[in-house]
Amino acid sequence: MDCLVAPSLPIVPDRSSNLRLGIMASGSGSNFAAVAEAIATGQLPAKIAVLIYNNPHIKALEYAAQYQIPAVFHDHRGVERGALDRAIVQTMQEYQVNCVVMAGWMRVVTPVLIDAFPDRIINIHPSLLPSFPGIKAIEQALAAKVKISGCTVHLVRPVVDSGPILIQAAVPVLPDDTVETLHARIQIQEHRILPAALKLL
Ligand code: GAR
């Protein structure tokens, strides 16, 4: 199935020639790698200024080293959400980031971060929002026995997974799907639509 692009995007003025990305990742980093690859192959005119990560064992670190992208660790443990976001904003500013990408960032962000980059923070989520927001989206989709699921790139707002949708892609849910098989099918689409959404910016 193909991806769908929102007809009118609530995006602020064109700064695309100078897109400096700050990517936040907590997981395996495959979406980070997809963006890095799109830039390296000339499909996306942008630069990843910094990777911010909160899991010291994240695989994205290997990709960051491969693409020579600076990586900054922000430990969330024992840190109040607002304080964590203040530290993240400071790092983003140090690296002159003008667009923030939550690529598998498994923390709820606060207005401290959101207000520092108005309409310039995007998130990728493994469901067709507004269905199945929040954690365990794939488990939710399987439990609901939907026949179609997918992924969404949207602008970030204070309510989790609620912001204006930029792009979605749909995938079939097969009768014998597990969380792993459905996630793998969704991730193929995520790796397409995340760079595509950034291209729109
Ligand atoms: C992605 O599937 C992304 O949609 C999901 O985490 C995964 C990260 O994968 N994000 C969320 O669930 C956010 N609510 P990656 O580390 O391989 O890019």
Side-chain angles (χ1 to χ4, degrees):
M1 295 187 202
D2 213 349
C3 64
L4 303 174
V5 180
S8 63
L9 297 169
I11 301 293
V12 276
D14 178 22
R15 284 170 272 178
S16 56
S17 59
N18 192 22
L19 199 57
R20 288 183 60 84
L21 306 175
I23 300 194
M24 299 164 62
S26 309
S28 73
S30 70
N31 280 289
F32 168 78
V35 174
E37 184 63 18
I39 294 170
T41 54
Q43 296 167 61
L44 176 63
K47 180 180 172 66
I48 302 177
V50 65
L51 165 71
I52 290 180
Y53 64 105
N54 63 338
N55 170 359
H57 309 297
I58 187 174
K59 191 157 192 297
L61 276 178
E62 290 170 30
Y63 299 124
Q66 183 184 332
Y67 290 103
Q68 297 180 314
I69 295 165
V72 178
F73 179 58
H74 281 281
D75 198 348
H76 63 271
R77 287 167 301 182
V79 182
E80 184 262 322
R81 284 189 205 284
L84 175 66
D85 284 355
R86 252 188 302 284
I88 290 172
V89 168
Q90 193 176 340
T91 299
M92 295 290 186
Q93 288 171 345
E94 278 166 18
Y95 285 88
Q96 298 176 315
V97 164
N98 56 20
C99 178
V100 175
V101 182
M102 293 168 58
W105 181 254
M106 298 305 179
R107 311 293 306 167
V108 173
V109 295
T110 69
V112 171
L113 178 63
I114 296 169
D115 294 347
F117 296 94
D119 281 342
R120 298 296 279 187
I121 307 182
I122 67 172
N123 178 48
I124 185 149
H125 183 76
S127 76
L128 292 175
L129 291 171
S131 293
F132 315 130
I135 59 167
K136 297 193 185 298
I138 295 165
E139 286 89 335
Q140 292 183 57
L142 289 174
K145 300 194 187 308
V146 293
K147 303 300 177 211
I148 295 172
S149 190
C151 46
T152 302
V153 180
H154 65 95
L155 294 180
V156 173
R157 295 288 186 266
V159 175
V160 171
D161 299 330
S162 72
I165 289 170
L166 301 179
I167 302 189
Q168 293 184 304
V171 303
V173 181
L174 304 180
D176 56 353
D177 260 338
T178 62
V179 171
E180 289 71 29
T181 58
L182 180 54
H183 194 195
R185 195 173 309 118
I186 288 171
Q187 284 223 293
I188 292 169
Q189 298 305 318
E190 289 188 337
H191 301 160
R192 292 174 56 224
I193 69 168
L194 185 55
L198 287 165
K199 226 170 181 176
L200 293 172
L201 300 184

